[in-house]
PDB file of all heavy atoms in Angstrom:
ATOM      1  N   HIS A 310     -20.071  -1.352  -8.962  1.00 67.00           N
ATOM      2  CA  HIS A 310     -20.059  -1.818 -10.354  1.00 67.00           C
ATOM      3  C   HIS A 310     -21.220  -1.266 -11.179  1.00 67.00           C
ATOM      4  O   HIS A 310     -21.362  -1.608 -12.348  1.00 67.00           O
ATOM      5  CB  HIS A 310     -20.073  -3.348 -10.392  1.00 67.00           C
ATOM      6  CG  HIS A 310     -18.832  -3.953  -9.830  1.00 67.00           C
ATOM      7  ND1 HIS A 310     -17.628  -3.951 -10.496  1.00 67.00           N
ATOM      8  CD2 HIS A 310     -18.592  -4.544  -8.640  1.00 67.00           C
ATOM      9  CE1 HIS A 310     -16.706  -4.552  -9.763  1.00 67.00           C
ATOM     10  NE2 HIS A 310     -17.267  -4.918  -8.625  1.00 67.00           N
ATOM     11  N   ARG A 311     -22.025  -0.419 -10.577  1.00 61.00           N
ATOM     12  CA  ARG A 311     -23.105   0.206 -11.346  1.00 61.00           C
ATOM     13  C   ARG A 311     -22.524   1.291 -12.252  1.00 61.00           C
ATOM     14  O   ARG A 311     -21.498   1.882 -11.944  1.00 61.00           O
ATOM     15  CB  ARG A 311     -24.130   0.828 -10.401  1.00 61.00           C
ATOM     16  CG  ARG A 311     -24.853  -0.169  -9.516  1.00 61.00           C
ATOM     17  CD  ARG A 311     -25.686   0.559  -8.493  1.00 61.00           C
ATOM     18  NE  ARG A 311     -24.859   1.416  -7.651  1.00 61.00           N
ATOM     19  CZ  ARG A 311     -25.331   2.244  -6.741  1.00 61.00           C
ATOM     20  NH1 ARG A 311     -26.645   2.351  -6.560  1.00 61.00           N
ATOM     21  NH2 ARG A 311     -24.525   2.975  -6.004  1.00 61.00           N
ATOM     22  N   PRO A 312     -23.162   1.575 -13.371  1.00 57.00           N
ATOM     23  CA  PRO A 312     -22.690   2.654 -14.236  1.00 57.00           C
ATOM     24  C   PRO A 312     -22.698   3.986 -13.472  1.00 57.00           C
ATOM     25  O   PRO A 312     -23.651   4.297 -12.755  1.00 57.00           O
ATOM     26  CB  PRO A 312     -23.713   2.669 -15.379  1.00 57.00           C
ATOM     27  CG  PRO A 312     -24.333   1.311 -15.362  1.00 57.00           C
ATOM     28  CD  PRO A 312     -24.350   0.880 -13.923  1.00 57.00           C
ATOM     29  N   VAL A 313     -21.620   4.737 -13.575  1.00 57.00           N
ATOM     30  CA  VAL A 313     -21.525   6.016 -12.881  1.00 57.00           C
ATOM     31  C   VAL A 313     -21.208   7.109 -13.884  1.00 57.00           C
ATOM     32  O   VAL A 313     -20.525   6.888 -14.879  1.00 57.00           O
ATOM     33  CB  VAL A 313     -20.446   5.982 -11.783  1.00 57.00           C
ATOM     34  CG1 VAL A 313     -20.866   5.087 -10.641  1.00 57.00           C
ATOM     35  CG2 VAL A 313     -19.106   5.520 -12.347  1.00 57.00           C
ATOM     36  N   GLU A 314     -21.736   8.292 -13.599  1.00 61.00           N
ATOM     37  CA  GLU A 314     -21.505   9.411 -14.491  1.00 61.00           C
ATOM     38  C   GLU A 314     -20.265  10.199 -14.108  1.00 61.00           C
ATOM     39  O   GLU A 314     -19.605  10.796 -14.959  1.00 61.00           O
ATOM     40  CB  GLU A 314     -22.720  10.344 -14.488  1.00 61.00           C
ATOM     41  CG  GLU A 314     -23.983   9.701 -15.064  1.00 61.00           C
ATOM     42  CD  GLU A 314     -25.146  10.669 -15.084  1.00 61.00           C
ATOM     43  OE1 GLU A 314     -24.968  11.827 -14.646  1.00 61.00           O
ATOM     44  OE2 GLU A 314     -26.239  10.271 -15.535  1.00 61.00           O
ATOM     45  N   ILE A 315     -19.950  10.233 -12.810  1.00 62.00           N
ATOM     46  CA  ILE A 315     -18.814  11.027 -12.351  1.00 62.00           C
ATOM     47  C   ILE A 315     -17.531  10.213 -12.485  1.00 62.00           C
ATOM     48  O   ILE A 315     -17.386   9.156 -11.883  1.00 62.00           O
ATOM     49  CB  ILE A 315     -19.014  11.464 -10.891  1.00 62.00           C
ATOM     50  CG1 ILE A 315     -20.244  12.353 -10.778  1.00 62.00           C
ATOM     51  CG2 ILE A 315     -17.779  12.203 -10.381  1.00 62.00           C
ATOM     52  CD1 ILE A 315     -20.578  12.775  -9.358  1.00 62.00           C
ATOM     53  N   HIS A 316     -16.619  10.709 -13.302  1.00 84.00           N
ATOM     54  CA  HIS A 316     -15.333  10.040 -13.486  1.00 84.00           C
ATOM     55  C   HIS A 316     -14.171  10.961 -13.144  1.00 84.00           C
ATOM     56  O   HIS A 316     -13.028  10.661 -13.473  1.00 84.00           O
ATOM     57  CB  HIS A 316     -15.188   9.542 -14.930  1.00 84.00           C
ATOM     58  CG  HIS A 316     -16.074   8.377 -15.242  1.00 84.00           C
ATOM     59  ND1 HIS A 316     -15.732   7.078 -14.953  1.00 84.00           N
ATOM     60  CD2 HIS A 316     -17.310   8.317 -15.788  1.00 84.00           C
ATOM     61  CE1 HIS A 316     -16.705   6.257 -15.332  1.00 84.00           C
ATOM     62  NE2 HIS A 316     -17.671   6.990 -15.836  1.00 84.00           N
ATOM     63  N   SER A 317     -14.469  12.086 -12.489  1.00 88.00           N
ATOM     64  CA  SER A 317     -13.404  13.030 -12.150  1.00 88.00           C
ATOM     65  C   SER A 317     -13.774  13.785 -10.881  1.00 88.00           C
ATOM     66  O   SER A 317     -14.915  14.211 -10.708  1.00 88.00           O
ATOM     67  CB  SER A 317     -13.182  14.014 -13.303  1.00 88.00           C
ATOM     68  OG  SER A 317     -12.193  14.962 -12.969  1.00 88.00           O
ATOM     69  N   HIS A 318     -12.794  13.914  -9.986  1.00 92.00           N
ATOM     70  CA  HIS A 318     -12.967  14.712  -8.777  1.00 92.00           C
ATOM     71  C   HIS A 318     -11.781  15.663  -8.655  1.00 92.00           C
ATOM     72  O   HIS A 318     -10.630  15.251  -8.818  1.00 92.00           O
ATOM     73  CB  HIS A 318     -13.021  13.830  -7.523  1.00 92.00           C
ATOM     74  CG  HIS A 318     -14.182  12.888  -7.470  1.00 92.00           C
ATOM     75  ND1 HIS A 318     -15.475  13.327  -7.301  1.00 92.00           N
ATOM     76  CD2 HIS A 318     -14.239  11.540  -7.570  1.00 92.00           C
ATOM     77  CE1 HIS A 318     -16.291  12.281  -7.285  1.00 92.00           C
ATOM     78  NE2 HIS A 318     -15.565  11.189  -7.458  1.00 92.00           N
ATOM     79  N   ARG A 319     -12.053  16.924  -8.385  1.00 93.00           N
ATOM     80  CA  ARG A 319     -10.991  17.887  -8.082  1.00 93.00           C
ATOM     81  C   ARG A 319     -11.218  18.344  -6.644  1.00 93.00           C
ATOM     82  O   ARG A 319     -12.207  18.995  -6.337  1.00 93.00           O
ATOM     83  CB  ARG A 319     -11.011  19.069  -9.045  1.00 93.00           C
ATOM     84  CG  ARG A 319      -9.809  19.999  -8.855  1.00 93.00           C
ATOM     85  CD  ARG A 319      -9.675  20.989  -9.991  1.00 93.00           C
ATOM     86  NE  ARG A 319      -9.391  20.325 -11.250  1.00 93.00           N
ATOM     87  CZ  ARG A 319      -8.178  19.942 -11.650  1.00 93.00           C
ATOM     88  NH1 ARG A 319      -7.128  20.149 -10.870  1.00 93.00           N
ATOM     89  NH2 ARG A 319      -8.014  19.354 -12.812  1.00 93.00           N
ATOM     90  N   LEU A 320     -10.285  17.986  -5.781  1.00 96.00           N
ATOM     91  CA  LEU A 320     -10.447  18.208  -4.348  1.00 96.00           C
ATOM     92  C   LEU A 320      -9.634  19.406  -3.878  1.00 96.00           C
ATOM     93  O   LEU A 320      -8.550  19.695  -4.400  1.00 96.00           O
ATOM     94  CB  LEU A 320     -10.015  16.959  -3.577  1.00 96.00           C
ATOM     95  CG  LEU A 320     -10.663  15.636  -4.014  1.00 96.00           C
ATOM     96  CD1 LEU A 320     -10.129  14.488  -3.172  1.00 96.00           C
ATOM     97  CD2 LEU A 320     -12.185  15.713  -3.919  1.00 96.00           C
ATOM     98  N   GLY A 321     -10.150  20.066  -2.879  1.00 96.00           N
ATOM     99  CA  GLY A 321      -9.451  21.202  -2.296  1.00 96.00           C
ATOM    100  C   GLY A 321      -8.450  20.766  -1.242  1.00 96.00           C
ATOM    101  O   GLY A 321      -8.420  19.616  -0.797  1.00 96.00           O
ATOM    102  N   THR A 322      -7.606  21.701  -0.826  1.00 97.00           N
ATOM    103  CA  THR A 322      -6.620  21.452   0.220  1.00 97.00           C
ATOM    104  C   THR A 322      -6.861  22.422   1.371  1.00 97.00           C
ATOM    105  O   THR A 322      -7.487  23.467   1.195  1.00 97.00           O
ATOM    106  CB  THR A 322      -5.189  21.645  -0.303  1.00 97.00           C
ATOM    107  OG1 THR A 322      -5.075  22.967  -0.866  1.00 97.00           O
ATOM    108  CG2 THR A 322      -4.854  20.610  -1.371  1.00 97.00           C
ATOM    109  N   GLN A 323      -6.359  22.075   2.541  1.00 97.00           N
ATOM    110  CA  GLN A 323      -6.520  22.931   3.719  1.00 97.00           C
ATOM    111  C   GLN A 323      -5.188  23.566   4.071  1.00 97.00           C
ATOM    112  O   GLN A 323      -4.167  22.879   4.193  1.00 97.00           O
ATOM    113  CB  GLN A 323      -7.033  22.108   4.907  1.00 97.00           C
ATOM    114  CG  GLN A 323      -7.228  22.934   6.177  1.00 97.00           C
ATOM    115  CD  GLN A 323      -7.656  22.090   7.347  1.00 97.00           C
ATOM    116  OE1 GLN A 323      -7.757  20.861   7.243  1.00 97.00           O
ATOM    117  NE2 GLN A 323      -7.904  22.725   8.481  1.00 97.00           N
ATOM    118  N   LEU A 324      -5.175  24.874   4.210  1.00 98.00           N
ATOM    119  CA  LEU A 324      -3.961  25.577   4.616  1.00 98.00           C
ATOM    120  C   LEU A 324      -3.816  25.455   6.129  1.00 98.00           C
ATOM    121  O   LEU A 324      -4.664  25.919   6.895  1.00 98.00           O
ATOM    122  CB  LEU A 324      -4.026  27.045   4.195  1.00 98.00           C
ATOM    123  CG  LEU A 324      -2.802  27.915   4.539  1.00 98.00           C
ATOM    124  CD1 LEU A 324      -1.533  27.315   3.951  1.00 98.00           C
ATOM    125  CD2 LEU A 324      -3.002  29.339   4.044  1.00 98.00           C
ATOM    126  N   ILE A 325      -2.730  24.821   6.567  1.00 98.00           N
ATOM    127  CA  ILE A 325      -2.451  24.611   7.983  1.00 98.00           C
ATOM    128  C   ILE A 325      -1.466  25.683   8.441  1.00 98.00           C
ATOM    129  O   ILE A 325      -0.309  25.692   8.031  1.00 98.00           O
ATOM    130  CB  ILE A 325      -1.855  23.211   8.236  1.00 98.00           C
ATOM    131  CG1 ILE A 325      -2.748  22.118   7.618  1.00 98.00           C
ATOM    132  CG2 ILE A 325      -1.658  22.985   9.735  1.00 98.00           C
ATOM    133  CD1 ILE A 325      -4.121  22.035   8.210  1.00 98.00           C
ATOM    134  N   TRP A 326      -1.942  26.586   9.275  1.00 97.00           N
ATOM    135  CA  TRP A 326      -1.105  27.695   9.729  1.00 97.00           C
ATOM    136  C   TRP A 326      -0.223  27.268  10.899  1.00 97.00           C
ATOM    137  O   TRP A 326      -0.702  26.752  11.898  1.00 97.00           O
ATOM    138  CB  TRP A 326      -1.982  28.872  10.162  1.00 97.00           C
ATOM    139  CG  TRP A 326      -2.574  29.607   9.010  1.00 97.00           C
ATOM    140  CD1 TRP A 326      -3.801  29.430   8.480  1.00 97.00           C
ATOM    141  CD2 TRP A 326      -1.933  30.630   8.243  1.00 97.00           C
ATOM    142  NE1 TRP A 326      -3.992  30.281   7.417  1.00 97.00           N
ATOM    143  CE2 TRP A 326      -2.865  31.031   7.243  1.00 97.00           C
ATOM    144  CE3 TRP A 326      -0.685  31.250   8.297  1.00 97.00           C
ATOM    145  CZ2 TRP A 326      -2.570  32.022   6.309  1.00 97.00           C
ATOM    146  CZ3 TRP A 326      -0.392  32.234   7.372  1.00 97.00           C
ATOM    147  CH2 TRP A 326      -1.323  32.619   6.387  1.00 97.00           C
ATOM    148  N   ARG A 327       1.078  27.493  10.723  1.00 97.00           N
ATOM    149  CA  ARG A 327       2.020  27.257  11.824  1.00 97.00           C
ATOM    150  C   ARG A 327       2.939  28.474  11.916  1.00 97.00           C
ATOM    151  O   ARG A 327       2.502  29.584  11.669  1.00 97.00           O
ATOM    152  CB  ARG A 327       2.767  25.936  11.612  1.00 97.00           C
ATOM    153  CG  ARG A 327       1.845  24.708  11.658  1.00 97.00           C
ATOM    154  CD  ARG A 327       2.632  23.419  11.804  1.00 97.00           C
ATOM    155  NE  ARG A 327       1.734  22.261  11.854  1.00 97.00           N
ATOM    156  CZ  ARG A 327       1.447  21.485  10.827  1.00 97.00           C
ATOM    157  NH1 ARG A 327       1.976  21.750   9.622  1.00 97.00           N
ATOM    158  NH2 ARG A 327       0.628  20.468  10.944  1.00 97.00           N
ATOM    159  N   GLY A 328       4.201  28.253  12.238  1.00 97.00           N
ATOM    160  CA  GLY A 328       5.059  29.392  12.540  1.00 97.00           C
ATOM    161  C   GLY A 328       6.052  29.812  11.483  1.00 97.00           C
ATOM    162  O   GLY A 328       6.933  30.634  11.762  1.00 97.00           O
ATOM    163  N   SER A 329       5.960  29.273  10.263  1.00 98.00           N
ATOM    164  CA  SER A 329       6.955  29.621   9.243  1.00 98.00           C
ATOM    165  C   SER A 329       6.553  30.796   8.373  1.00 98.00           C
ATOM    166  O   SER A 329       7.271  31.141   7.426  1.00 98.00           O
ATOM    167  CB  SER A 329       7.265  28.397   8.372  1.00 98.00           C
ATOM    168  OG  SER A 329       6.121  28.025   7.625  1.00 98.00           O
ATOM    169  N   VAL A 330       5.402  31.413   8.672  1.00 98.00           N
ATOM    170  CA  VAL A 330       4.949  32.619   7.973  1.00 98.00           C
ATOM    171  C   VAL A 330       4.596  33.648   9.037  1.00 98.00           C
ATOM    172  O   VAL A 330       3.922  33.333  10.016  1.00 98.00           O
ATOM    173  CB  VAL A 330       3.737  32.333   7.072  1.00 98.00           C
ATOM    174  CG1 VAL A 330       3.224  33.617   6.421  1.00 98.00           C
ATOM    175  CG2 VAL A 330       4.103  31.323   6.001  1.00 98.00           C
ATOM    176  N   ARG A 331       5.048  34.873   8.822  1.00 95.00           N
ATOM    177  CA  ARG A 331       4.753  35.947   9.768  1.00 95.00           C
ATOM    178  C   ARG A 331       3.269  36.229   9.843  1.00 95.00           C
ATOM    179  O   ARG A 331       2.522  35.983   8.874  1.00 95.00           O
ATOM    180  CB  ARG A 331       5.489  37.238   9.370  1.00 95.00           C
ATOM    181  CG  ARG A 331       6.994  37.152   9.414  1.00 95.00           C
ATOM    182  CD  ARG A 331       7.624  38.509   9.206  1.00 95.00           C
ATOM    183  NE  ARG A 331       7.382  39.031   7.847  1.00 95.00           N
ATOM    184  CZ  ARG A 331       8.168  38.802   6.804  1.00 95.00           C
ATOM    185  NH1 ARG A 331       9.251  38.040   6.949  1.00 95.00           N
ATOM    186  NH2 ARG A 331       7.895  39.335   5.628  1.00 95.00           N
ATOM    187  N   GLU A 332       2.808  36.743  10.960  1.00 87.00           N
ATOM    188  CA  GLU A 332       1.418  37.130  11.089  1.00 87.00           C
ATOM    189  C   GLU A 332       1.139  38.297  10.153  1.00 87.00           C
ATOM    190  O   GLU A 332       2.028  39.106   9.850  1.00 87.00           O
ATOM    191  CB  GLU A 332       1.110  37.539  12.532  1.00 87.00           C
ATOM    192  CG  GLU A 332       1.173  36.382  13.509  1.00 87.00           C
ATOM    193  CD  GLU A 332       0.752  36.809  14.906  1.00 87.00           C
ATOM    194  OE1 GLU A 332       0.337  37.979  15.060  1.00 87.00           O
ATOM    195  OE2 GLU A 332       0.849  35.989  15.822  1.00 87.00           O
ATOM    196  N   ALA A 333      -0.099  38.369   9.678  1.00 79.00           N
ATOM    197  CA  ALA A 333      -0.476  39.415   8.735  1.00 79.00           C
ATOM    198  C   ALA A 333      -0.224  40.787   9.345  1.00 79.00           C
ATOM    199  O   ALA A 333      -0.476  41.024  10.528  1.00 79.00           O
ATOM    200  CB  ALA A 333      -1.942  39.276   8.362  1.00 79.00           C
ATOM    201  N   LYS A 334       0.320  41.675   8.510  1.00 64.00           N
ATOM    202  CA  LYS A 334       0.557  43.044   8.967  1.00 64.00           C
ATOM    203  C   LYS A 334      -0.749  43.818   8.962  1.00 64.00           C
ATOM    204  O   LYS A 334      -1.532  43.736   8.024  1.00 64.00           O
ATOM    205  CB  LYS A 334       1.579  43.737   8.056  1.00 64.00           C
ATOM    206  CG  LYS A 334       2.980  43.163   8.203  1.00 64.00           C
ATOM    207  CD  LYS A 334       3.986  44.045   7.515  1.00 64.00           C
ATOM    208  CE  LYS A 334       5.429  43.569   7.799  1.00 64.00           C
ATOM    209  NZ  LYS A 334       6.430  44.462   7.179  1.00 64.00           N
ATOM    210  N   SER A 335      -0.975  44.542  10.012  1.00 58.00           N
ATOM    211  CA  SER A 335      -2.211  45.318  10.113  1.00 58.00           C
ATOM    212  C   SER A 335      -2.136  46.597   9.278  1.00 58.00           C
ATOM    213  O   SER A 335      -1.056  47.041   8.920  1.00 58.00           O
ATOM    214  CB  SER A 335      -2.473  45.670  11.572  1.00 58.00           C
ATOM    215  OG  SER A 335      -1.372  46.368  12.130  1.00 58.00           O
TER     216      SER A 335
END
Side-chain angles (χ1 to χ4, degrees):
H310 294 286
R311 296 172 300 175
V313 291
E314 295 182 0
I315 298 177
H316 289 276
S317 178
H318 296 291
R319 187 168 295 277
L320 307 179
T322 55
Q323 180 183 3
L324 181 56
I325 307 297
W326 285 96
R327 295 195 180 98
S329 66
V330 176
R331 296 188 294 271
E332 292 185 5
K334 291 192 173 183
S335 56

